[in-house]
Amino acid sequence: MKKKFISLYMDWAKRVSQLSHAKRLQVGSVIVKDDCVISYGYNGMPASWDNECEDIIQHSDDTISLKTKPEVLHAESNAISKLAKSTNSGLDSTMFITHSPCLECAKLIYQSGINTVYYDTDYRSNDGVEFLKKSGVTVVRTNETTASN
């Protein structure tokens, strides 16, 4: 795929991430096949739930932190779920994600037939990327690609 299209779809994923109501981390994902966007998703609560993605935690030292609710759906799983409801197939498609996938999302990516993943920022664990590579999925960190091209 040409660099200008990689940049286009990654920019699209970044824009999609801005739709998330999450306060800790907003993640966006776009699925492309035959030069057409066939699905997109962002991290958030299930449909018809409230949009509060985090719980506020009050600590004994009076500090406050946010903890992501376990019900939050990741951007990748939202995009794949939306794809499953359509007439399109993920087979041989490409996914663009603002952050590298977690292991659970990586398994969904692989099972859905997506064969290439571009991402911009590392997630806290590299397990998802390693799983995808081990499974034969091409994984490219875009800021490295951009820097070398």
Side-chain angles (χ1 to χ4, degrees):
M1 184 176 288
K2 290 182 180 181
K3 180 181 169 185
K4 67 180 180 179
F5 292 111
I6 294 169
S7 295
L8 170 69
Y9 295 129
M10 188 52 66
D11 286 347
W12 197 327
K14 289 175 184 177
R15 179 65 180 108
V16 168
S17 75
Q18 296 172 3
L19 298 173
S20 172
H21 291 274
K23 293 174 180 63
R24 290 183 65 220
L25 180 65
Q26 294 177 313
V27 180
S29 174
V30 173
I31 302 174
V32 176
K33 185 172 182 177
D34 300 327
D35 296 321
C36 293
V37 172
I38 59 172
S39 190
Y40 66 91
Y42 51 89
N43 58 318
M45 297 299 285
S48 78
W49 287 45
D50 71 47
N51 288 324
E52 294 297 319
C53 297
E54 295 94 0
D55 287 319
I56 298 172
I57 308 298
Q58 177 80 39
H59 301 281
S60 59
D61 62 357
D62 287 333
T63 59
I64 295 173
S65 64
L66 297 173
K67 182 176 181 188
T68 301
K69 293 179 179 179
E71 299 88 3
V72 168
L73 297 163
H74 289 193
E76 304 92 325
S77 66
N78 264 331
I80 291 168
S81 296
K82 186 181 289 184
L83 180 61
K85 293 178 184 177
S86 76
T87 58
N88 290 309
S89 167
L91 190 61
D92 297 327
S93 63
T94 301
M95 179 176 271
F96 295 83
I97 320 166
T98 57
H99 292 74
S100 61
C102 70
L103 180 58
E104 292 304 311
C105 287
K107 291 188 281 187
L108 290 172
I109 291 166
Y110 174 69
Q111 285 297 105
S112 68
I114 295 168
N115 63 11
T116 306
V117 171
Y118 290 93
Y119 73 95
D120 189 55
T121 304
D122 285 323
Y123 187 59
R124 63 178 167 243
S125 168
N126 202 34
D127 293 347
V129 169
E130 292 305 315
F131 171 83
L132 289 172
K133 288 179 179 178
K134 185 177 177 182
S135 301
V137 175
T138 301
V139 181
V140 180
R141 185 170 179 197
T142 57
N143 59 12
E144 292 176 352
T145 302
T146 304
S148 66
N149 288 338

